Amino acid sequence: GAVVSQHPSWVICKSGTSVKIECRSLDFQATTMFWYRQFPKQSLMLMATSNEGSKATYEQGVEKDKFLINHASLTLSTLTVTSAHPEDSSFYICSAKEGTQPQHFGDGTRLSIL
Amino acid sequence: GENVEQHPSTLSVQEGDSAVIKCTYSDSASNYFPWYKQELGKGPQLIIDIRSNVGEKKDQRIAVTLNKTAKHFSLHITETQPEDSAVYFCAASGDTGGFKTIFGAGTRLFVKA
């Protein structure tokens, strides 16, 4: 149980394009979803927290207009990197939790901007 | 806010030996402490967790201990196997809605066959 599916797993695109990443909870209702960014050999950096039906809460230093988060249902959240540039290249990971249950992670999306 | 420190950053053990990873936290209000294993190119996977009303929890070769007074908790892996090689993250959080999960910096474990 507690499976989180994240797609795509890998994306390469040109500078200036927008990229959407999906995060789905397959067998539970994700009342809260989190988006993280992870640089090589480093820990997870929380970007934002979203509760279903509410606006996401962004961490300090994370541009909300750059990283658009939508959590429109209890099983789906999306992260859109708008006008992506090479410095946005990274490993993006979502996680989801139901109520006070532990959070479970997707397998991440490796984003490469050329 | 909460701060979680994790040591060591790298740990190399011989297959069959035990591995211990230690973490300390700063916020006494934290009451939930999960441990995650992350393999290369994948997301972190929850392997064991402990709540503040318990001092120790064990699941086969993995155990976690918690000392609330000293604000530290540890992961113990016994009879290590090569497939245990991965990056391990400790974390701390509270149960209430606004509480974030704060992660340690990670420990890269190498189990040599």
Side-chain angles (χ1 to χ4, degrees):
Chain A
V3 176
V4 175
S5 175
Q6 186 174 341
H7 291 282
S9 56
W10 185 41
V11 58
I12 301 175
C13 60
K14 292 181 180 179
S15 184
T17 58
S18 294
V19 179
K20 181 185 281 190
I21 303 169
E22 289 190 352
C23 182
R24 295 180 185 271
S25 58
L26 299 187
D27 51 1
F28 65 99
Q29 295 188 324
T31 49
T32 308
M33 282 185 164
F34 306 87
W35 286 95
Y36 294 84
R37 184 171 179 176
Q38 187 177 35
F39 292 102
K41 297 186 179 181
Q42 292 192 25
S43 190
L44 296 89
M45 183 187 81
L46 180 65
M47 299 174 66
T49 302
S50 72
N51 293 297
E52 185 264 337
S54 303
K55 287 186 179 179
T57 302
Y58 289 81
E59 294 300 300
Q60 193 172 6
V62 178
E63 299 175 58
K64 59 180 68 176
D65 295 330
K66 174 77 170 175
F67 299 100
L68 300 179
I69 292 171
N70 183 284
H71 188 173
S73 78
L74 282 172
T75 59
L76 174 65
S77 176
T78 60
L79 167 67
T80 301
V81 184
T82 62
S83 187
H85 291 286
E87 57 267 27
D88 299 322
S89 298
S90 193
F91 191 52
Y92 293 88
I93 312 174
C94 72
S95 72
K97 61 186 287 188
E98 181 174 14
T100 59
Q101 294 300 308
Q103 58 176 311
H104 296 273
F105 288 83
D107 268 342
T109 297
R110 186 158 303 283
L111 175 62
S112 296
I113 309 298
L114 304 177
Chain B
E2 175 66 279
N3 182 49
V4 177
E5 294 195 358
Q6 182 172 347
H7 298 281
S9 56
T10 306
L11 178 59
S12 185
V13 299
Q14 203 66 38
E15 182 178 3
D17 288 349
S18 295
V20 181
I21 302 170
K22 298 182 179 181
C23 289
T24 60
Y25 62 100
S26 60
D27 191 341
S28 55
S30 291
N31 60 5
Y32 174 64
F33 308 93
W35 284 87
Y36 292 89
K37 175 184 181 182
Q38 185 177 27
E39 296 177 332
L40 193 62
K42 299 218 165 188
Q45 182 179 24
L46 179 69
I47 56 171
I48 196 167
D49 57 8
I50 191 168
R51 295 193 180 271
S52 59
N53 58 345
V54 175
E56 184 175 356
K57 184 176 178 180
K58 190 173 181 180
D59 182 3
Q60 298 182 348
R61 297 187 296 109
I62 296 173
V64 57
T65 59
L66 170 65
N67 183 326
K68 279 218 76 178
T69 304
K71 295 200 194 79
H72 63 70
F73 55 114
S74 302
L75 177 71
H76 304 252
I77 306 174
T78 58
E79 300 171 34
T80 53
Q81 300 166 3
E83 49 267 38
D84 294 329
S85 297
V87 179
Y88 291 81
F89 292 99
C90 64
S93 74
D95 256 348
T96 54
F99 247 68
K100 298 175 212 174
T101 299
I102 305 299
F103 288 85
T107 296
R108 192 169 296 272
L109 174 65
F110 297 95
V111 180
K112 296 176 286 186

